[in-house]
Structure formats: C-alpha cells, structure tokens
C-alpha cells in the first residue's frame, strides 16, 4: 500500500508554499545531478540532510527509504569499479578496482542520496494530491496532471484487485514454486489485472462523461506564498548557486 | 416498514393509466434492442416510460440487462434498434446525449468508478465546475450538497480511504450536486449496512425528483419506490404478473412470536 508518512506535519518546511518547494527541489536536483566535484557533492549532501532535519521527518522512515535507494547503489559499487578501464586502486582477487570507477561510484552515491533526501524534505512533505494541484498552478499541461492524479487514485483500486486475485488463488491452495504452473498462474493474474484495469478505465471515463467532463482540469486549490516561502526561495537559490559555483571553480582547475 | 403485500396492490395499477395522468414522459424507450458484440441480445424490443414524479423500482436477476438499460439511457452504449427519447426529444448522436446527460444523474454500481478525484470536495465540485460554475460557486454547491446528506467534515477526506458506505453517500452527493431532474440509481443499497441503508432510504424519501432504482432487494424497493417492475427475456414487465416470492430475513428476537407492522 502506498503510504505518505511525511505528508502531514507541522515543520517550517511543511508550511512553505508547495509550488516553491516543487520548483526548488527540481532545480536543486538538476544542479546536483550535473555536479562532479566532491566538495560540491558533499556540501549538497549536507544541505539535503539539513533540509530533512528542518522537516522533522521520522528518522526510521527516512532510513527505510534510503535503504531502497542504496540497494541500487550497492549494485553500482559491485559492478562499476571493476569494469572501468584504468589504474587499479586496489585488487579483489583477480579483479582490479579502477580509480575512475571508484570515483564515479562515489559520485553516484552522493548524488542519489542528496537528491532523494531533498525530495523527501521538500516534496514528500505534501500530500500527492497537492503535488498535482501545485503542478497545475505551475502550468504543467492538464493531461499530465490528470494522468498523475488518476494514477494516484487508482493505484489503490488496482492493488485491491490484485490482492483479490491473489487471495482467490491462495484459498484454492496455490503455492508459488519454480514450475510452469506458477508461471502460468502469474501470467493469468497479470493478464486479468490488465483486463480489469481496461474495464475500470472505461467505466471511470463513462462516469466522468456523465458528469459533463470536457477534458478540462479544474483545481479548487488556491496557493498563497507567504513571506516565509520567498525567504526560503532566496536561501535555497543562494545555496544552489553556491554549489554550482563550487563545482564550476573546481572544474576549471 | 410497509408490508410487502402493498407492493402487489401498487403494481396492479395499470402503469399506462398512471402515465397518462402525469405530464410528458421524461424518459421514453421504444422497441429498444441491445446486445454486446458476439453475444445474444441483452434487451429485446424493450418499451419503458418514466414520467415526472415517478419513483420506479426495477428488480431482476443478474445479467438481465438492468445496468445496460441505464447505460443506454445515458447514451454510453448505443441501441441496435429502437428509439430513446429524453425530455421529449429523440436522441441518436453523442452530442445530443451529452446535452441531456447533465440533467440526468447516474449513480454507478461501484463507487470507485464514480469517485476519481483525490479529495471528496473536488469530486463533488467536479460536476458543477463542468457546468461552468466558478470555483467559489462550485465549492459552495459541493459543501451544501455534502451538508444536506449529513456529510459535513468530509470535504478534505481522501476518496479512496472512505469506507464503503461513505463512498456510496459521497457518490450520491457528486450526482446530486449537478441538480439533476432525474436519477438513475444502480443498486445503491448494495453492500451497505443497515444504518447506512436506512440513511439512504431517508435521503431518497426526501428527494422530490423522479428516479429509477435497480435493486435485488424487494424490501428496500418497496420502501423507496412506488412502482416495481421486473425484467424478463430482455423486456420490462409492467403487468400484474409480478412473481410474488417468499423471502427470509434475520432480525433480533426473531425466534419469539412477533408481528410485522
């Protein structure tokens, strides 16, 4: 089940205008993604951690999410250093870890953690429905906003339908194993889920047409950016500019 | 609760005479035939009329085409033969149906089909917004409708996190917010507990618009409708050949001698 443990809260970050948080998170992650110099990346990670602290998120939940990201990072560490051509920094049996490979893996680690932490602090601290409305107010095309909100709405229904199918299989003694019966059952299950999703989509579309849907997205939300939001925008812009400057100066050397 | 016997009395009235005494039919189906591709016809040469102020119940077995009947009236599926007239106008094209749709409210069988917005207020305001109301007006209408159904404080609830009964009542609010002149209710009592069902009966009793209600439950139908039709062989039966049946129900202290009022 999709849960939003950070969405509700009373931290200074929760109170900021969602549009400003979304834009800040996007610009910040683009800049961080392009950085290569370690001082710049380390200061980005420090900034992200400061943001998470400011958002007063539950540490256990934060680590749970970092674990997912770093699972992927571990795979990168297992492959990239040993497959990169270059001078060996250290050896593991017959495999040599190239210096450039190790650097690249370290950059990826820092970048991904910094970006994920920033998104947790800035974007996960609002309900997904609010993200949709903020996107709408930021002039993101209606179709994308609709897709986003509908996906959010119906992921739960699809999950329930999936659970129903799984239960129906298990009460009749289905036990997954490594055999063709299992593969076939899962294939039926996925196929059934697609069929149900298509039928559901048709009925939802009918329900929308019955209520006069004219392919226009309306948002009842009105956002009010207070002075605090603009102060935050100023600070985060300065921080991003600082990271970019650090990167560019070091890269020029 | 009215005694089920009353049902037979009401149903024995000649529906034709009943219709004659009221104004022009709101919904008039003549010789409508419909079948899904590759299957036998679900509805065969069906005639049906709903007049202003009528509260018609339809009881029929699964797969007899009750839901299809509603989808035909809304123009969501097109008949293979026959004519559908709504508010005195014969309709064929999608454009003609879309103009009429806003005046008819269809409550879907599954509230998850009906509630697609993230929050309750947005979902109820969706219809009014599509009718060209301003945001402030639509929000006000949505709040009023929710309050009228006793759903105060539901505005910011997340639609998929509502309980089954709440979802049903909110669905009804989304339809009523468009101020329809007719309601089509597809098994609205299905899956509701006794309390929510009583609440639904009460709400329906207060409405002063015509509606057609599909249900499997005679008890509920006798409570909220004046005429009960059955469906057989793809047709709606309006004569007195109503099949009376016995049914069992459970209630507290049912084992002691008692009377049904």
């Amino acid at each position: 089940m999709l849960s939003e443990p950070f969405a509700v809260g009373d931290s200074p970050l929760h109170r900021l205008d969602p549009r400003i948080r979304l834009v800040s998170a996007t610009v910040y992650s683009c800049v961080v993604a392009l950085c290569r110099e370690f001082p710049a990346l380390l200061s980005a990670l420090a900034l992200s951690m400061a943001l998470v602290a400011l958002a007063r998120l539950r540490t256990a939940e934060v680590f749970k999410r970092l674990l997912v990201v770093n699972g992927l990072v571990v795979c990168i560490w297992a492959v990239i250093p040993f497959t990169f051509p270059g001078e060996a920094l250290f050896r593991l049996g017959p495999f040599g870890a190239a210096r450039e490979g190790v650097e690249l893996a370290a950059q990826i680690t820092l970048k991904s953690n910094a970006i994920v932490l920033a998104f947790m602090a800035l974007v996960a601290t609002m309900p997904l429905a609010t993200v949709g409305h903020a996107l709408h107010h930021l002039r993101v095309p209606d179709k994308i906003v609709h897709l986003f909100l509908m996906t959010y709405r119906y992921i739960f229904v699809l999950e329930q339908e999936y659970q129903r199918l799984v239960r129906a299989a298990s009460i009749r003694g289905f036990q997954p194993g490594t055999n063709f019966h299992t593969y076939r059952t899962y294939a039926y299950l996925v196929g059934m889920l697609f069929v149900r999703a298509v039928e559901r989509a048709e009925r939802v579309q009918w329900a929308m047409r019955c209520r006069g849907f004219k392919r226009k997205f309306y948002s009842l939300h009105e956002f009010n950016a207070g002075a605090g939001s603009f102060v935050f925008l100023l600070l985060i812009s300065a921080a991003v500019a600082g990271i970019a400057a650090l990167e560019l100066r070091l890269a020029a050397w | 609760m009215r005694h089920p016997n009353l049902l037979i009395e009401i149903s024995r009235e000649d529906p034709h005479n009943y219709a004659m005494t009221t104004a022009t039919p709101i919904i008039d189906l003549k010789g409508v035939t419909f079948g899904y591709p590759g299957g036998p016809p679900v509805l065969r040469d069906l005639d049906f009329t709903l007049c202003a102020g009528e509260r018609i119940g339809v009881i029929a077995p699964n797969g007899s085409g009750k839901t299809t009947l509603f989808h035909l009236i809304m123009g969501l599926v097109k008949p293979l033969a026959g004519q559908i007239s709504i508010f005195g106008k014969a309709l064929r094209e999608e454009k003609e149906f879309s103009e009429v749709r806003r005046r008819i409210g269809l409550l879907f069988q599954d509230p998850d089909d009906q509630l697609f917005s993230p929050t309750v207020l947005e979902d109820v305001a969706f219809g009014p917004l599509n009718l060209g109301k301003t945001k402030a007006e639509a929000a006000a209408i949505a709040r009023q409708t929710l309050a009228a159904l006793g759903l105060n404080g539901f505005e910011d609830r997340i639609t998929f996190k509502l309980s089954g009964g709440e979802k049903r009542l909110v669905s009804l609010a989304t339809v009523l917010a468009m101020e329809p002149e007719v309601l089509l209710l597809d098994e609205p009592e299905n899956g509701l507990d006794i309390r929510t069902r009583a609440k639904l009966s009460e709400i329906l009793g207060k409405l002063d618009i015509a509606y057609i209600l599909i249900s499997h439950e005679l008890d509920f139908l006798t409570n909220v409708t004046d005429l009960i039709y059955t469906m057989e062989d793809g047709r709606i039966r309006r004569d007195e050949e109503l099949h009376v049946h016995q049914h069992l129900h459970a209630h507290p202290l049912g084992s002691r001698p008692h009377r049904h009022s």
Side-chain angles (χ1 to χ4, degrees), chain B residues 38-63:
Chain B
V42 185
L43 301 174
R44 232 172 299 176
D45 196 20
L46 173 138
D47 295 329
F48 178 79
T49 309
L50 176 83
C51 293
E54 278 187 328
R55 305 192 305 164
I56 293 179
V58 179
I59 191 162
N62 289 328

Side-chain angles (χ1 to χ4, degrees), chain B residues 16-250:
Chain B
H16 279 291
N17 280 344
Y18 188 89
M20 292 292 189
T21 55
T22 45
T24 47
I26 301 175
I27 294 170
D28 192 25
L29 309 187
K30 278 204 175 66
V32 169
T33 298
F34 179 81
Y36 290 98
V42 185
L43 301 174
R44 232 172 299 176
D45 196 20
L46 173 138
D47 295 329
F48 178 79
T49 309
L50 176 83
C51 293
E54 278 187 328
R55 305 192 305 164
I56 293 179
V58 179
I59 191 162
N62 289 328
S64 53
K66 294 168 299 186
T67 301
T68 308
L69 177 71
F70 280 179
H71 291 167
L72 277 165
I73 293 172
M74 295 304 274
L76 298 171
V77 292
K78 297 285 183 301
L80 300 174
Q83 188 179 292
I84 301 174
S85 307
I86 295 170
F87 299 111
K89 215 174 118 190
L91 307 177
R92 279 246 139 239
E93 302 301 313
E94 165 66 20
K95 205 173 147 273
E96 298 170 323
F97 274 106
S98 68
E99 279 164 24
V100 146
R101 247 175 234 147
R102 50 160 296 188
R103 299 169 66 185
I104 310 176
L106 169 59
L107 185 73
F108 278 68
Q109 216 173 78
D110 184 350
D112 273 325
D113 294 341
Q114 197 123 29
L115 304 175
F116 48 82
S117 305
T119 65
V120 168
L121 187 72
E122 286 168 283
D123 216 301
V124 182
F126 176 79
L129 283 170
N130 287 331
L131 297 182
K133 302 268 196 263
T134 65
K135 283 183 195 178
E137 285 167 351
I141 293 172
R143 285 203 172 84
Q144 276 166 22
T145 315
L146 287 169
L149 298 187
L151 297 171
N152 306 70
F154 274 64
E155 289 83 354
D156 292 322
R157 297 272 299 273
I158 304 292
T159 46
F160 58 79
K161 289 180 183 162
L162 299 173
S163 76
E166 291 167 344
K167 273 187 192 167
R168 185 76 50 142
L169 291 177
V170 171
S171 300
L172 186 60
T174 66
V175 173
L176 290 178
M178 297 186 74
E179 293 167 10
E181 292 160 59
V182 196
L183 276 183
L184 309 177
L185 307 155
D186 197 348
E187 300 189 14
E189 88 300 344
N190 195 11
L192 298 187
D193 60 30
I194 297 169
R195 259 180 57 200
T196 319
R197 206 177 277 213
K199 194 170 175 191
L200 182 66
S201 299
E202 191 196 320
I203 292 167
L204 291 177
K206 281 186 199 155
L207 290 177
D208 57 351
I209 54 176
Y211 57 75
I212 310 171
L213 197 153
I214 289 174
S215 175
H216 285 295
E217 304 199 22
L218 202 53
D219 269 2
F220 183 72
L221 276 182
T222 50
N223 236 350
V224 296
T225 60
D226 304 318
L227 283 158
I228 296 178
Y229 295 161
T230 57
M231 282 181 84
E232 256 172 342
D233 304 324
R235 290 209 186 111
I236 289 188
R237 302 178 75 99
R238 320 193 283 189
D239 48 29
E240 59 258 62
E241 285 172 46
L242 190 70
H243 297 271
V244 179
H245 68 277
Q246 217 181 6
H247 69 277
L248 296 169
H249 60 205

